[in-house]
Amino acid sequence: MVPVRKILTTLALTTGSLALMTSAALATDVADILCQATLNTDCALLEEADSQSDEVVALETGDEVVLLSRDGELAEAAYEDGDEVYTGYLSLEDVTLESRGTAQLLSTVAILRETPSDEGDPVELLNRGDELEILGYGDGWYLVSVGDDTGYLHLEDVDAEVVTTTKLNLREEASTRSKVCEVLPTGTELELLSAEKDGWVEVSYEGETGYVSVDYLTASEEYIVDNPVMTAGEAVLAYAQQFLGNRYVWGGTSLTNGCDCSGYVMKIFAAFGVSLPHSSYAIRNYGTAVSYSDIQVGDVVCYSGHVGIYAGNGQIINALNSRKGICYTSVNFSKIITIRRLV
């Protein structure tokens, strides 16, 4: 296994190393997020990459940080406490990288590299279909683990699938990349049309046939469906609305503990089998472009440096800023770059 300290690459602050910054300053000055990590012991952020340096802030086991760069045995990290964001250095031995999801390799072959660069030393040659665990993102690359190895892959080589979901997708084909026909609420009764094959079964629902993953099926007595079946876009909005009022955290991807605009959109759509990058700019290239006159609930609205989900009535639902958190905003609060339909 490649040691974590070998695969962290320098993503320096453009204005130099600061001991204390606001969320807004952090979003502007940090070049990229490498990955999120959790403290596995009590420790402290230090002012400099020196174990004898003065303490910036004390951290406790379980605290979450964002790793920004490495300097020998230490990593530069950002830690948010309320409205304040602290940056400093800590030992790589004190953190555990967080998994953000699972994925498969799309390319026929790809080289797992020690650093996010085509010139990075190769770690392993991967084959199409190899299963990966996503740890983080950085400048067009995924940080992943494959078995006992850890390294970087191009974003375009990876088909990311976050494995948690709250509703069951009825799909046209037996694949998580297939089009969603319907989003079925918990408790929906389905008629089985085929035996299980590769984890999927063909089913019938109100005259429509499709495929569902057996991971979300349970043999039971007849269910009563409490909620009407929604369009895919309406289901996305209904799920997104559950997190109204939650915190905005720059670089965050937690719908409950804090996320930024692209982290919010990424996590919402992950629940519906749609894999997106943690980048408002990159999301512009996903899905199908639609005009403003054809906008529907659940469409993704992209702005310069921002992204949200259309909620109807001229509004988007979005992770706006550290003051307002996840909230409704006018769809025309800024110039629209593009509108994308993903479900």
Side-chain angles (χ1 to χ4, degrees):
M1 179 175 180
V2 180
V4 172
R5 61 178 178 273
K6 288 188 177 181
I7 61 174
L8 294 176
T9 57
T10 301
L11 298 172
L13 299 178
T14 58
T15 57
S17 180
L18 302 179
L20 173 63
M21 302 192 303
T22 65
S23 296
L26 187 63
T28 301
D29 295 333
V30 175
D32 257 311
I33 302 167
L34 183 61
C35 63
Q36 291 181 316
T38 302
L39 272 294
N40 53 41
T41 185
D42 293 347
C43 66
L45 278 183
L46 305 176
E47 286 187 358
E48 299 177 0
D50 183 340
S51 60
Q52 304 303 314
S53 176
D54 291 338
E55 178 179 309
V56 175
V57 64
L59 302 176
E60 297 179 353
T61 303
D63 284 344
E64 294 184 350
V65 296
V66 176
L67 301 186
L68 306 173
S69 67
R70 70 168 285 255
D71 194 328
E73 299 294 326
L74 301 178
E76 185 177 18
Y79 169 69
E80 181 167 16
D81 183 15
D83 293 331
E84 302 292 351
V85 176
Y86 299 87
T87 61
Y89 295 85
L90 47 72
S91 171
L92 291 169
E93 295 180 353
D94 293 339
V95 299
T96 301
L97 302 186
E98 292 183 3
S99 173
R100 295 186 175 183
T102 58
Q104 285 188 326
L105 195 70
L106 283 176
S107 306
T108 303
V109 293
I111 299 174
L112 184 71
R113 298 187 181 275
E114 283 195 358
T115 58
S117 166
D118 289 324
E119 284 73 46
D121 290 338
V123 176
E124 184 182 352
L125 185 65
L126 304 179
N127 297 310
R128 182 172 184 173
D130 282 350
E131 296 184 353
L132 320 168
E133 187 175 11
I134 299 171
L135 300 175
Y137 309 84
D139 197 23
W141 295 76
Y142 276 120
L143 174 63
V144 304
S145 65
V146 188
D148 293 332
D149 290 323
T150 306
Y152 289 88
L153 288 171
H154 284 288
L155 294 183
E156 59 266 26
D157 289 337
V158 175
D159 177 28
E161 299 286 353
V162 177
V163 297
T164 345
T165 186
T166 58
K167 298 181 184 294
L168 179 63
N169 292 326
L170 179 67
R171 298 183 181 272
E172 284 187 349
E173 304 292 339
S175 168
T176 54
R177 296 194 294 274
S178 178
K179 180 181 178 181
V180 176
C181 307
E182 300 281 357
V183 180
L184 309 175
T186 301
T188 301
E189 184 181 25
L190 303 171
E191 178 185 0
L192 298 182
L193 300 179
S194 70
E196 177 188 348
K197 182 179 180 181
D198 297 328
W200 295 82
V201 289
E202 187 178 15
V203 299
S204 173
Y205 175 73
E206 294 188 347
E208 185 170 22
T209 60
Y211 293 83
V212 294
S213 169
V214 295
D215 292 340
Y216 306 107
L217 293 181
T218 303
S220 178
E221 297 179 1
E222 183 176 347
Y223 287 111
I224 297 175
V225 179
D226 296 324
N227 301 312
V229 175
M230 299 175 280
T231 67
E234 289 170 341
V236 167
L237 177 60
Y239 181 60
Q241 289 171 328
Q242 297 180 52
F243 308 100
L244 274 169
N246 287 355
R247 290 199 310 155
Y248 174 97
V249 174
W250 181 84
T253 59
S254 172
L255 295 172
T256 53
N257 295 324
C259 57
D260 59 14
C261 65
S262 58
Y264 177 62
V265 172
M266 179 185 75
K267 294 293 283 189
I268 293 299
F269 279 90
F272 295 87
V274 178
S275 178
L276 296 174
H278 191 186
S279 164
S280 58
Y281 176 82
I283 287 174
R284 299 178 194 174
N285 300 313
Y286 283 70
T288 303
V290 296
S291 65
Y292 184 77
S293 60
D294 292 329
I295 193 171
Q296 295 180 9
V297 167
D299 288 345
V300 174
V301 186
C302 302
Y303 310 86
S304 177
H306 191 68
V307 65
I309 300 170
Y310 187 61
N313 300 318
Q315 292 186 312
I316 59 169
I317 185 169
N318 62 150
L320 185 59
N321 53 40
S322 57
R323 184 167 59 89
K324 293 189 174 181
I326 298 174
C327 63
Y328 292 112
T329 306
S330 170
V331 69
N332 292 311
F333 87 102
S334 184
K335 182 180 178 181
I336 297 174
I337 302 296
T338 183
I339 301 169
R340 316 300 295 188
R341 185 159 298 155
L342 302 177
V343 295

